[in-house]
Short mmCIF file of all heavy atoms in Angstrom, two decimals:
data_model
loop_
_atom_site.label_atom_id
_atom_site.label_comp_id
_atom_site.label_asym_id
_atom_site.label_seq_id
_atom_site.Cartn_x
_atom_site.Cartn_y
_atom_site.Cartn_z
N THR A 1 93.82 80.49 -24.70
CA THR A 1 93.70 81.94 -24.58
C THR A 1 95.07 82.52 -24.26
O THR A 1 95.99 81.81 -23.89
CB THR A 1 92.72 82.31 -23.47
OG1 THR A 1 93.20 81.82 -22.24
CG2 THR A 1 91.33 81.79 -23.75
N GLY A 2 95.15 83.84 -24.37
CA GLY A 2 96.40 84.51 -24.07
C GLY A 2 97.19 84.87 -25.30
O GLY A 2 96.75 84.65 -26.45
N PRO A 3 98.37 85.41 -25.11
CA PRO A 3 99.22 85.81 -26.23
C PRO A 3 99.61 84.59 -27.09
O PRO A 3 99.70 83.45 -26.61
CB PRO A 3 100.46 86.41 -25.56
CG PRO A 3 100.07 86.65 -24.15
CD PRO A 3 98.97 85.71 -23.83
N ALA A 4 99.87 84.86 -28.36
CA ALA A 4 100.22 83.78 -29.31
C ALA A 4 101.45 83.01 -28.83
O ALA A 4 101.50 81.78 -28.95
CB ALA A 4 100.47 84.37 -30.68
N GLU A 5 102.43 83.70 -28.28
CA GLU A 5 103.65 83.03 -27.80
C GLU A 5 103.32 82.00 -26.73
O GLU A 5 103.83 80.89 -26.72
CB GLU A 5 104.63 84.07 -27.28
CG GLU A 5 105.99 83.51 -26.97
CD GLU A 5 106.98 84.58 -26.58
OE1 GLU A 5 106.85 85.13 -25.46
OE2 GLU A 5 107.88 84.88 -27.38
N ALA A 6 102.45 82.37 -25.79
CA ALA A 6 102.05 81.45 -24.72
C ALA A 6 101.24 80.29 -25.27
O ALA A 6 101.40 79.14 -24.84
CB ALA A 6 101.26 82.18 -23.65
N ARG A 7 100.39 80.57 -26.25
CA ARG A 7 99.58 79.49 -26.85
C ARG A 7 100.47 78.46 -27.52
O ARG A 7 100.28 77.26 -27.37
CB ARG A 7 98.61 80.08 -27.87
CG ARG A 7 97.53 80.92 -27.30
CD ARG A 7 96.64 81.38 -28.41
NE ARG A 7 95.75 82.44 -27.96
CZ ARG A 7 94.68 82.85 -28.64
NH1 ARG A 7 94.39 82.30 -29.79
NH2 ARG A 7 93.94 83.81 -28.18
N VAL A 8 101.43 78.95 -28.32
CA VAL A 8 102.34 78.04 -29.03
C VAL A 8 103.17 77.25 -28.03
O VAL A 8 103.35 76.04 -28.17
CB VAL A 8 103.23 78.81 -30.03
CG1 VAL A 8 104.30 77.90 -30.63
CG2 VAL A 8 102.37 79.43 -31.14
N ALA A 9 103.64 77.91 -27.00
CA ALA A 9 104.44 77.21 -25.97
C ALA A 9 103.62 76.11 -25.31
O ALA A 9 104.11 75.00 -25.14
CB ALA A 9 104.91 78.22 -24.91
N ARG A 10 102.36 76.40 -24.99
CA ARG A 10 101.50 75.37 -24.35
C ARG A 10 101.27 74.19 -25.30
O ARG A 10 101.27 73.03 -24.87
CB ARG A 10 100.18 75.99 -23.88
CG ARG A 10 100.33 76.82 -22.63
CD ARG A 10 98.99 77.18 -22.00
NE ARG A 10 98.14 77.97 -22.88
CZ ARG A 10 98.08 79.29 -22.87
NH1 ARG A 10 98.83 79.98 -22.05
NH2 ARG A 10 97.26 79.93 -23.67
N LEU A 11 101.06 74.48 -26.60
CA LEU A 11 100.87 73.39 -27.56
C LEU A 11 102.11 72.54 -27.65
O LEU A 11 102.04 71.32 -27.65
CB LEU A 11 100.48 73.94 -28.93
CG LEU A 11 100.31 72.91 -30.03
CD1 LEU A 11 99.22 71.90 -29.69
CD2 LEU A 11 100.06 73.58 -31.38
N LEU A 12 103.27 73.18 -27.76
CA LEU A 12 104.53 72.42 -27.84
C LEU A 12 104.77 71.59 -26.59
O LEU A 12 105.24 70.45 -26.66
CB LEU A 12 105.71 73.35 -28.11
CG LEU A 12 105.71 74.02 -29.49
CD1 LEU A 12 106.82 75.07 -29.58
CD2 LEU A 12 105.84 73.01 -30.60
N LEU A 13 104.42 72.14 -25.45
CA LEU A 13 104.56 71.39 -24.20
C LEU A 13 103.63 70.19 -24.18
O LEU A 13 104.02 69.09 -23.75
CB LEU A 13 104.27 72.28 -23.00
CG LEU A 13 105.34 73.30 -22.67
CD1 LEU A 13 104.82 74.31 -21.65
CD2 LEU A 13 106.59 72.63 -22.17
N PHE A 14 102.41 70.38 -24.64
CA PHE A 14 101.47 69.26 -24.71
C PHE A 14 102.01 68.17 -25.65
O PHE A 14 102.02 66.99 -25.29
CB PHE A 14 100.09 69.72 -25.20
CG PHE A 14 99.16 68.59 -25.49
CD1 PHE A 14 98.59 67.86 -24.46
CD2 PHE A 14 98.90 68.22 -26.80
CE1 PHE A 14 97.76 66.78 -24.74
CE2 PHE A 14 98.05 67.16 -27.08
CZ PHE A 14 97.49 66.43 -26.04
N LEU A 15 102.46 68.58 -26.83
CA LEU A 15 102.98 67.58 -27.80
C LEU A 15 104.20 66.86 -27.24
O LEU A 15 104.37 65.66 -27.46
CB LEU A 15 103.29 68.25 -29.12
CG LEU A 15 102.09 68.79 -29.91
CD1 LEU A 15 102.55 69.60 -31.11
CD2 LEU A 15 101.17 67.66 -30.32
N SER A 16 105.07 67.59 -26.54
CA SER A 16 106.27 66.94 -26.00
C SER A 16 105.94 66.05 -24.81
O SER A 16 106.68 65.12 -24.50
CB SER A 16 107.34 67.97 -25.63
OG SER A 16 106.91 68.78 -24.57
N SER A 17 104.80 66.30 -24.15
CA SER A 17 104.41 65.46 -23.02
C SER A 17 103.95 64.08 -23.47
O SER A 17 103.84 63.17 -22.66
CB SER A 17 103.32 66.14 -22.19
OG SER A 17 102.07 66.07 -22.86
N LEU A 18 103.68 63.95 -24.75
CA LEU A 18 103.22 62.66 -25.29
C LEU A 18 104.36 61.69 -25.51
O LEU A 18 104.12 60.53 -25.83
CB LEU A 18 102.43 62.88 -26.58
CG LEU A 18 101.21 63.79 -26.48
CD1 LEU A 18 100.60 64.03 -27.87
CD2 LEU A 18 100.18 63.19 -25.53
N THR A 19 105.59 62.17 -25.36
CA THR A 19 106.78 61.30 -25.54
C THR A 19 107.60 61.32 -24.26
O THR A 19 107.40 62.16 -23.38
CB THR A 19 107.66 61.79 -26.70
OG1 THR A 19 108.18 63.08 -26.38
CG2 THR A 19 106.87 61.88 -28.01
N THR A 20 108.54 60.42 -24.18
CA THR A 20 109.38 60.34 -22.99
C THR A 20 110.72 61.04 -23.17
O THR A 20 111.45 61.22 -22.20
CB THR A 20 109.66 58.86 -22.63
OG1 THR A 20 110.28 58.22 -23.73
CG2 THR A 20 108.38 58.15 -22.27
N ASP A 21 111.03 61.46 -24.40
CA ASP A 21 112.34 62.04 -24.66
C ASP A 21 112.32 63.53 -24.98
O ASP A 21 113.30 64.10 -25.41
CB ASP A 21 113.05 61.28 -25.79
CG ASP A 21 112.29 61.32 -27.10
OD1 ASP A 21 111.19 61.93 -27.13
OD2 ASP A 21 112.75 60.73 -28.06
N GLY A 22 111.20 64.21 -24.75
CA GLY A 22 111.11 65.64 -24.98
C GLY A 22 110.91 66.04 -26.42
O GLY A 22 110.86 67.22 -26.73
N ARG A 23 110.82 65.05 -27.29
CA ARG A 23 110.55 65.36 -28.70
C ARG A 23 109.07 65.57 -28.92
O ARG A 23 108.24 65.05 -28.18
CB ARG A 23 111.03 64.25 -29.62
CG ARG A 23 112.51 64.05 -29.64
CD ARG A 23 112.98 63.01 -30.61
NE ARG A 23 111.99 62.00 -30.95
CZ ARG A 23 111.99 61.35 -32.11
NH1 ARG A 23 112.90 61.58 -33.01
NH2 ARG A 23 111.07 60.45 -32.37
N CYS A 24 108.71 66.33 -29.93
CA CYS A 24 107.31 66.47 -30.28
C CYS A 24 107.18 66.47 -31.80
O CYS A 24 108.13 66.77 -32.52
CB CYS A 24 106.69 67.72 -29.66
SG CYS A 24 107.34 69.27 -30.26
N VAL A 25 106.01 66.12 -32.24
CA VAL A 25 105.72 66.13 -33.67
C VAL A 25 105.75 67.58 -34.13
O VAL A 25 105.16 68.45 -33.52
CB VAL A 25 104.33 65.50 -33.96
CG1 VAL A 25 104.00 65.62 -35.43
CG2 VAL A 25 104.32 64.06 -33.50
N ASP A 26 106.46 67.82 -35.21
CA ASP A 26 106.57 69.16 -35.77
C ASP A 26 105.38 69.37 -36.71
O ASP A 26 105.47 69.10 -37.90
CB ASP A 26 107.89 69.32 -36.50
CG ASP A 26 108.19 70.77 -36.85
OD1 ASP A 26 107.44 71.65 -36.42
OD2 ASP A 26 109.19 71.00 -37.53
N ILE A 27 104.25 69.84 -36.16
CA ILE A 27 103.06 69.99 -36.98
C ILE A 27 103.18 71.25 -37.86
O ILE A 27 103.94 72.15 -37.55
CB ILE A 27 101.77 70.06 -36.12
CG1 ILE A 27 101.74 71.31 -35.25
CG2 ILE A 27 101.63 68.82 -35.28
CD1 ILE A 27 100.43 71.50 -34.53
N GLY A 28 102.42 71.26 -38.92
CA GLY A 28 102.44 72.37 -39.84
C GLY A 28 101.94 73.65 -39.20
O GLY A 28 101.11 73.63 -38.28
N ARG A 29 102.41 74.79 -39.69
CA ARG A 29 102.00 76.07 -39.11
C ARG A 29 100.53 76.36 -39.36
O ARG A 29 99.87 76.99 -38.54
CB ARG A 29 102.87 77.21 -39.67
CG ARG A 29 104.36 77.02 -39.45
CD ARG A 29 104.71 76.76 -37.99
NE ARG A 29 106.08 76.31 -37.88
CZ ARG A 29 106.45 75.08 -37.57
NH1 ARG A 29 105.56 74.15 -37.29
NH2 ARG A 29 107.71 74.74 -37.52
N GLN A 30 99.99 75.89 -40.49
CA GLN A 30 98.57 76.09 -40.76
C GLN A 30 97.74 75.32 -39.73
O GLN A 30 96.76 75.86 -39.19
CB GLN A 30 98.23 75.63 -42.17
CG GLN A 30 96.82 75.97 -42.57
CD GLN A 30 96.56 75.70 -44.05
OE1 GLN A 30 97.37 75.08 -44.74
NE2 GLN A 30 95.44 76.17 -44.55
N ASP A 31 98.11 74.08 -39.45
CA ASP A 31 97.41 73.29 -38.44
C ASP A 31 97.56 73.93 -37.05
O ASP A 31 96.61 73.97 -36.28
CB ASP A 31 97.92 71.86 -38.41
CG ASP A 31 97.58 71.08 -39.66
OD1 ASP A 31 96.56 71.43 -40.32
OD2 ASP A 31 98.32 70.13 -40.00
N MET A 32 98.76 74.39 -36.76
CA MET A 32 99.02 75.02 -35.47
C MET A 32 98.13 76.25 -35.31
O MET A 32 97.51 76.45 -34.26
CB MET A 32 100.50 75.40 -35.36
CG MET A 32 100.89 75.94 -34.01
SD MET A 32 102.65 76.33 -33.94
CE MET A 32 103.35 74.70 -33.78
N GLY A 33 98.07 77.07 -36.34
CA GLY A 33 97.24 78.27 -36.29
C GLY A 33 95.78 77.93 -36.09
O GLY A 33 95.08 78.57 -35.28
N ALA A 34 95.29 76.91 -36.80
CA ALA A 34 93.89 76.51 -36.68
C ALA A 34 93.59 76.01 -35.27
O ALA A 34 92.53 76.31 -34.70
CB ALA A 34 93.56 75.45 -37.72
N LEU A 35 94.48 75.23 -34.71
CA LEU A 35 94.28 74.70 -33.36
C LEU A 35 94.27 75.80 -32.29
O LEU A 35 93.53 75.72 -31.33
CB LEU A 35 95.38 73.69 -33.00
CG LEU A 35 95.30 72.33 -33.64
CD1 LEU A 35 96.59 71.57 -33.43
CD2 LEU A 35 94.12 71.56 -33.04
N LEU A 36 95.10 76.81 -32.49
CA LEU A 36 95.29 77.83 -31.46
C LEU A 36 94.48 79.10 -31.69
O LEU A 36 94.51 79.99 -30.85
CB LEU A 36 96.79 78.19 -31.37
CG LEU A 36 97.71 77.02 -31.01
CD1 LEU A 36 99.16 77.49 -31.07
CD2 LEU A 36 97.37 76.48 -29.66
N GLY A 37 93.81 79.21 -32.82
CA GLY A 37 93.02 80.40 -33.10
C GLY A 37 93.90 81.60 -33.43
O GLY A 37 93.58 82.73 -33.08
N ILE A 38 95.05 81.34 -34.10
CA ILE A 38 95.93 82.42 -34.54
C ILE A 38 96.18 82.22 -36.03
O ILE A 38 95.89 81.15 -36.58
CB ILE A 38 97.27 82.43 -33.76
CG1 ILE A 38 98.03 81.10 -33.91
CG2 ILE A 38 97.03 82.73 -32.28
CD1 ILE A 38 99.40 81.06 -33.22
N THR A 39 96.72 83.21 -36.69
CA THR A 39 96.98 83.08 -38.12
C THR A 39 98.19 82.18 -38.36
O THR A 39 99.04 82.01 -37.47
CB THR A 39 97.24 84.45 -38.78
OG1 THR A 39 98.45 85.00 -38.23
CG2 THR A 39 96.08 85.41 -38.56
N THR A 40 98.24 81.65 -39.55
CA THR A 40 99.39 80.82 -39.96
C THR A 40 100.68 81.63 -39.86
O THR A 40 101.71 81.13 -39.42
CB THR A 40 99.19 80.31 -41.41
OG1 THR A 40 97.97 79.58 -41.46
CG2 THR A 40 100.33 79.46 -41.86
N GLU A 41 100.60 82.90 -40.26
CA GLU A 41 101.78 83.77 -40.23
C GLU A 41 102.27 83.99 -38.80
O GLU A 41 103.47 83.97 -38.53
CB GLU A 41 101.47 85.13 -40.87
CG GLU A 41 101.22 85.04 -42.36
CD GLU A 41 99.80 84.58 -42.73
OE1 GLU A 41 98.91 84.46 -41.83
OE2 GLU A 41 99.57 84.30 -43.91
N THR A 42 101.34 84.16 -37.87
CA THR A 42 101.72 84.36 -36.47
C THR A 42 102.35 83.09 -35.92
O THR A 42 103.37 83.13 -35.22
CB THR A 42 100.50 84.78 -35.62
OG1 THR A 42 100.01 86.02 -36.12
CG2 THR A 42 100.86 84.92 -34.16
N ALA A 43 101.75 81.94 -36.22
CA ALA A 43 102.32 80.66 -35.77
C ALA A 43 103.74 80.50 -36.31
O ALA A 43 104.65 80.12 -35.58
CB ALA A 43 101.44 79.50 -36.20
N SER A 44 103.93 80.81 -37.58
CA SER A 44 105.24 80.69 -38.21
C SER A 44 106.23 81.65 -37.56
O SER A 44 107.38 81.26 -37.29
CB SER A 44 105.11 80.99 -39.70
OG SER A 44 106.34 80.86 -40.34
N ARG A 45 105.80 82.86 -37.31
CA ARG A 45 106.68 83.87 -36.70
C ARG A 45 107.11 83.44 -35.29
O ARG A 45 108.28 83.55 -34.92
CB ARG A 45 105.96 85.22 -36.69
CG ARG A 45 106.81 86.37 -36.30
CD ARG A 45 106.14 87.74 -36.50
NE ARG A 45 104.71 87.79 -36.21
CZ ARG A 45 103.74 87.85 -37.13
NH1 ARG A 45 104.05 87.84 -38.42
NH2 ARG A 45 102.47 87.93 -36.77
N VAL A 46 106.16 82.94 -34.49
CA VAL A 46 106.48 82.53 -33.12
C VAL A 46 107.43 81.34 -33.11
O VAL A 46 108.43 81.32 -32.37
CB VAL A 46 105.20 82.22 -32.33
CG1 VAL A 46 105.51 81.57 -30.98
CG2 VAL A 46 104.37 83.47 -32.13
N VAL A 47 107.16 80.35 -33.96
CA VAL A 47 108.04 79.17 -34.02
C VAL A 47 109.44 79.58 -34.50
O VAL A 47 110.45 79.10 -33.96
CB VAL A 47 107.44 78.07 -34.89
CG1 VAL A 47 108.44 76.93 -35.12
CG2 VAL A 47 106.16 77.53 -34.26
N ALA A 48 109.52 80.47 -35.48
CA ALA A 48 110.82 80.94 -35.95
C ALA A 48 111.58 81.64 -34.83
O ALA A 48 112.79 81.44 -34.68
CB ALA A 48 110.64 81.87 -37.15
N ASP A 49 110.86 82.43 -34.04
CA ASP A 49 111.49 83.11 -32.91
C ASP A 49 111.97 82.07 -31.88
O ASP A 49 113.08 82.20 -31.36
CB ASP A 49 110.51 84.08 -32.25
CG ASP A 49 111.10 84.79 -31.06
OD1 ASP A 49 112.18 85.40 -31.20
OD2 ASP A 49 110.50 84.71 -29.97
N PHE A 50 111.15 81.07 -31.59
CA PHE A 50 111.56 80.01 -30.65
C PHE A 50 112.80 79.29 -31.18
O PHE A 50 113.69 78.94 -30.40
CB PHE A 50 110.44 79.02 -30.46
CG PHE A 50 109.31 79.48 -29.54
CD1 PHE A 50 108.23 78.67 -29.30
CD2 PHE A 50 109.33 80.73 -28.95
CE1 PHE A 50 107.20 79.07 -28.46
CE2 PHE A 50 108.30 81.16 -28.13
CZ PHE A 50 107.24 80.31 -27.88
N ARG A 51 112.87 79.05 -32.47
CA ARG A 51 114.03 78.38 -33.06
C ARG A 51 115.29 79.25 -32.88
O ARG A 51 116.36 78.75 -32.54
CB ARG A 51 113.80 78.03 -34.50
CG ARG A 51 112.83 76.87 -34.67
CD ARG A 51 112.64 76.56 -36.15
NE ARG A 51 111.51 75.67 -36.34
CZ ARG A 51 111.60 74.36 -36.46
NH1 ARG A 51 112.77 73.78 -36.44
NH2 ARG A 51 110.52 73.63 -36.63
N ARG A 52 115.15 80.53 -33.18
CA ARG A 52 116.30 81.46 -33.05
C ARG A 52 116.80 81.50 -31.61
O ARG A 52 118.00 81.60 -31.36
CB ARG A 52 115.91 82.86 -33.48
CG ARG A 52 116.02 83.13 -34.96
CD ARG A 52 115.88 84.61 -35.29
NE ARG A 52 114.58 85.18 -34.89
CZ ARG A 52 113.48 85.10 -35.61
NH1 ARG A 52 113.47 84.46 -36.76
NH2 ARG A 52 112.35 85.65 -35.17
N ARG A 53 115.88 81.41 -30.65
CA ARG A 53 116.24 81.46 -29.24
C ARG A 53 116.68 80.11 -28.70
O ARG A 53 117.06 80.00 -27.53
CB ARG A 53 115.04 81.97 -28.45
CG ARG A 53 114.71 83.41 -28.76
CD ARG A 53 113.34 83.87 -28.33
NE ARG A 53 113.05 83.65 -26.92
CZ ARG A 53 111.86 83.86 -26.38
NH1 ARG A 53 110.85 84.31 -27.12
NH2 ARG A 53 111.65 83.63 -25.13
N GLY A 54 116.65 79.07 -29.51
CA GLY A 54 117.10 77.76 -29.10
C GLY A 54 116.08 76.98 -28.27
O GLY A 54 116.42 76.01 -27.61
N LEU A 55 114.83 77.42 -28.30
CA LEU A 55 113.80 76.74 -27.53
C LEU A 55 113.23 75.54 -28.26
O LEU A 55 112.67 74.63 -27.64
CB LEU A 55 112.65 77.71 -27.19
CG LEU A 55 113.07 79.02 -26.54
CD1 LEU A 55 111.85 79.89 -26.27
CD2 LEU A 55 113.81 78.75 -25.26
N VAL A 56 113.35 75.55 -29.57
CA VAL A 56 112.87 74.45 -30.41
C VAL A 56 113.98 74.15 -31.41
O VAL A 56 114.48 75.06 -32.08
CB VAL A 56 111.57 74.83 -31.16
CG1 VAL A 56 111.13 73.72 -32.08
CG2 VAL A 56 110.46 75.19 -30.19
N GLU A 57 114.36 72.89 -31.48
CA GLU A 57 115.42 72.49 -32.40
C GLU A 57 114.97 71.31 -33.24
O GLU A 57 114.33 70.38 -32.71
CB GLU A 57 116.69 72.09 -31.64
CG GLU A 57 117.28 73.21 -30.82
CD GLU A 57 118.46 72.76 -29.96
OE1 GLU A 57 118.79 71.55 -29.98
OE2 GLU A 57 119.02 73.60 -29.28
N GLU A 58 115.28 71.32 -34.52
CA GLU A 58 114.94 70.21 -35.39
C GLU A 58 115.76 68.98 -35.00
O GLU A 58 116.91 69.11 -34.58
CB GLU A 58 115.20 70.56 -36.84
CG GLU A 58 114.31 71.66 -37.36
CD GLU A 58 114.56 71.98 -38.81
OE1 GLU A 58 115.03 71.09 -39.56
OE2 GLU A 58 114.29 73.10 -39.20
N THR A 59 115.16 67.80 -35.12
CA THR A 59 115.87 66.58 -34.76
C THR A 59 116.60 65.97 -35.95
O THR A 59 117.39 65.08 -35.78
CB THR A 59 114.89 65.54 -34.19
OG1 THR A 59 113.90 65.26 -35.17
CG2 THR A 59 114.26 66.03 -32.91
N GLY A 60 116.30 66.44 -37.14
CA GLY A 60 116.97 65.92 -38.32
C GLY A 60 116.14 64.97 -39.14
O GLY A 60 116.45 64.69 -40.28
N ASP A 61 115.06 64.45 -38.55
CA ASP A 61 114.21 63.54 -39.32
C ASP A 61 113.09 64.28 -40.06
O ASP A 61 112.34 63.68 -40.83
CB ASP A 61 113.62 62.44 -38.42
CG ASP A 61 112.66 62.97 -37.36
OD1 ASP A 61 112.36 64.18 -37.36
OD2 ASP A 61 112.22 62.16 -36.53
N GLY A 62 112.95 65.58 -39.83
CA GLY A 62 111.96 66.38 -40.52
C GLY A 62 110.54 66.24 -39.99
O GLY A 62 109.64 66.93 -40.44
N GLU A 63 110.35 65.36 -39.04
CA GLU A 63 109.01 65.15 -38.50
C GLU A 63 108.90 65.51 -37.02
O GLU A 63 107.77 65.64 -36.51
CB GLU A 63 108.62 63.68 -38.66
CG GLU A 63 108.51 63.25 -40.11
CD GLU A 63 108.14 61.77 -40.25
OE1 GLU A 63 107.73 61.17 -39.24
OE2 GLU A 63 108.25 61.27 -41.36
N HIS A 64 110.01 65.66 -36.34
CA HIS A 64 109.98 65.93 -34.92
C HIS A 64 110.90 67.12 -34.59
O HIS A 64 111.74 67.50 -35.38
CB HIS A 64 110.46 64.71 -34.11
CG HIS A 64 109.60 63.53 -34.26
ND1 HIS A 64 109.76 62.61 -35.26
CD2 HIS A 64 108.51 63.13 -33.56
CE1 HIS A 64 108.84 61.67 -35.15
NE2 HIS A 64 108.06 61.98 -34.12
N CYS A 65 110.69 67.67 -33.43
CA CYS A 65 111.58 68.70 -32.91
C CYS A 65 111.80 68.43 -31.43
O CYS A 65 111.05 67.69 -30.81
CB CYS A 65 111.02 70.09 -33.13
SG CYS A 65 109.40 70.39 -32.40
N HIS A 66 112.86 68.98 -30.91
CA HIS A 66 113.17 68.85 -29.50
C HIS A 66 112.88 70.20 -28.85
O HIS A 66 113.27 71.24 -29.35
CB HIS A 66 114.64 68.46 -29.27
CG HIS A 66 114.96 68.26 -27.83
ND1 HIS A 66 114.54 67.17 -27.11
CD2 HIS A 66 115.64 69.04 -26.97
CE1 HIS A 66 114.97 67.29 -25.88
NE2 HIS A 66 115.62 68.42 -25.76
N CYS A 67 112.18 70.18 -27.72
CA CYS A 67 111.76 71.41 -27.05
C CYS A 67 112.50 71.61 -25.74
O CYS A 67 112.73 70.65 -25.01
CB CYS A 67 110.27 71.35 -26.75
SG CYS A 67 109.25 71.20 -28.22
N ASN A 68 112.84 72.85 -25.47
CA ASN A 68 113.41 73.22 -24.17
C ASN A 68 112.21 73.41 -23.23
O ASN A 68 111.64 74.50 -23.13
CB ASN A 68 114.23 74.49 -24.30
CG ASN A 68 114.92 74.85 -22.99
OD1 ASN A 68 114.39 74.64 -21.91
ND2 ASN A 68 116.10 75.39 -23.12
N VAL A 69 111.83 72.35 -22.56
CA VAL A 69 110.60 72.31 -21.76
C VAL A 69 110.62 73.35 -20.64
O VAL A 69 109.60 74.01 -20.41
CB VAL A 69 110.37 70.89 -21.20
CG1 VAL A 69 109.20 70.86 -20.26
CG2 VAL A 69 110.17 69.90 -22.35
N ASP A 70 111.70 73.53 -19.96
CA ASP A 70 111.76 74.45 -18.83
C ASP A 70 111.43 75.90 -19.23
O ASP A 70 110.62 76.56 -18.59
CB ASP A 70 113.14 74.40 -18.15
CG ASP A 70 113.39 73.04 -17.49
OD1 ASP A 70 112.41 72.39 -17.08
OD2 ASP A 70 114.57 72.66 -17.43
N ILE A 71 112.03 76.36 -20.32
CA ILE A 71 111.79 77.73 -20.73
C ILE A 71 110.40 77.86 -21.34
O ILE A 71 109.70 78.86 -21.15
CB ILE A 71 112.89 78.23 -21.67
CG1 ILE A 71 114.23 78.23 -20.94
CG2 ILE A 71 112.56 79.62 -22.21
CD1 ILE A 71 115.40 78.63 -21.77
N LEU A 72 109.95 76.84 -22.09
CA LEU A 72 108.60 76.89 -22.66
C LEU A 72 107.55 76.95 -21.56
O LEU A 72 106.53 77.62 -21.71
CB LEU A 72 108.36 75.69 -23.58
CG LEU A 72 109.08 75.74 -24.93
CD1 LEU A 72 108.82 74.47 -25.70
CD2 LEU A 72 108.65 76.94 -25.75
N LYS A 73 107.80 76.29 -20.44
CA LYS A 73 106.86 76.34 -19.30
C LYS A 73 106.77 77.77 -18.78
O LYS A 73 105.68 78.25 -18.44
CB LYS A 73 107.30 75.41 -18.19
CG LYS A 73 106.96 73.96 -18.45
CD LYS A 73 107.39 73.08 -17.28
CE LYS A 73 107.13 71.63 -17.56
NZ LYS A 73 107.58 70.75 -16.48
N GLN A 74 107.90 78.46 -18.69
CA GLN A 74 107.88 79.83 -18.23
C GLN A 74 107.08 80.74 -19.17
O GLN A 74 106.28 81.56 -18.72
CB GLN A 74 109.32 80.39 -18.12
CG GLN A 74 110.14 79.73 -17.05
CD GLN A 74 111.59 80.20 -17.08
OE1 GLN A 74 111.97 81.03 -17.89
NE2 GLN A 74 112.40 79.68 -16.18
N ILE A 75 107.25 80.52 -20.46
CA ILE A 75 106.52 81.31 -21.44
C ILE A 75 105.03 80.98 -21.38
O ILE A 75 104.18 81.88 -21.43
CB ILE A 75 107.08 81.06 -22.87
CG1 ILE A 75 108.50 81.61 -22.96
CG2 ILE A 75 106.19 81.70 -23.93
CD1 ILE A 75 109.25 81.18 -24.20
N ALA A 76 104.71 79.70 -21.25
CA ALA A 76 103.32 79.27 -21.22
C ALA A 76 102.58 79.86 -20.03
O ALA A 76 101.41 80.22 -20.14
CB ALA A 76 103.25 77.75 -21.19
N HIS A 77 103.26 79.99 -18.91
CA HIS A 77 102.61 80.48 -17.70
C HIS A 77 102.60 82.01 -17.62
O HIS A 77 101.92 82.57 -16.77
CB HIS A 77 103.25 79.89 -16.46
CG HIS A 77 103.08 78.41 -16.34
ND1 HIS A 77 102.04 77.73 -16.89
CD2 HIS A 77 103.84 77.47 -15.74
CE1 HIS A 77 102.14 76.43 -16.64
NE2 HIS A 77 103.24 76.25 -15.93
N SER A 78 103.36 82.64 -18.50
CA SER A 78 103.39 84.12 -18.47
C SER A 78 102.22 84.71 -19.22
O SER A 78 101.98 85.91 -19.13
CB SER A 78 104.70 84.63 -19.08
OG SER A 78 104.74 84.38 -20.48
N GLY A 79 101.51 83.89 -19.99
CA GLY A 79 100.38 84.40 -20.77
C GLY A 79 99.13 84.15 -20.18
O GLY A 79 98.20 84.10 -19.75
#
């Protein structure tokens, strides 16, 4: 529940908690939208905004991303 930004942040935090290095699986925006109850477009827009802000960075393998956990926690708790 809550704003889309907080939902996406919580999902990314959950995915990054499954690893020890802060990386998370870069799931598709359609899947992300379905999991969070938001549109694909909204999921894409939020992730693009997070990337611009440096909160999510591609790792180069095309399957994972690195998350700025501290700031994502702030966003997740603000919603």
Side-chain angles (χ1 to χ4, degrees):
T1 62
E5 189 175 71
R7 292 182 192 193
V8 172
R10 285 193 298 266
L11 177 61
L12 292 173
L13 287 169
F14 171 74
L15 293 172
S16 66
S17 75
L18 301 175
T19 65
T20 58
D21 60 0
R23 294 184 336 153
C24 65
V25 175
D26 192 6
I27 66 172
R29 303 306 167 250
Q30 187 171 11
D31 292 334
M32 186 179 284
L35 285 168
L36 300 175
I38 60 177
T39 65
T40 303
E41 292 80 9
T42 299
S44 181
R45 189 171 37 254
V46 170
V47 172
D49 180 54
F50 284 179
R51 288 180 192 263
R52 275 192 298 277
R53 293 164 54 187
L55 307 180
V56 177
E57 298 175 358
E58 294 181 26
T59 59
D61 65 5
E63 296 179 13
H64 296 89
C65 58
H66 182 73
C67 299
N68 185 324
V69 173
D70 294 331
I71 297 177
L72 287 176
K73 282 182 182 177
Q74 293 174 1
I75 294 168
H77 295 333
S78 69

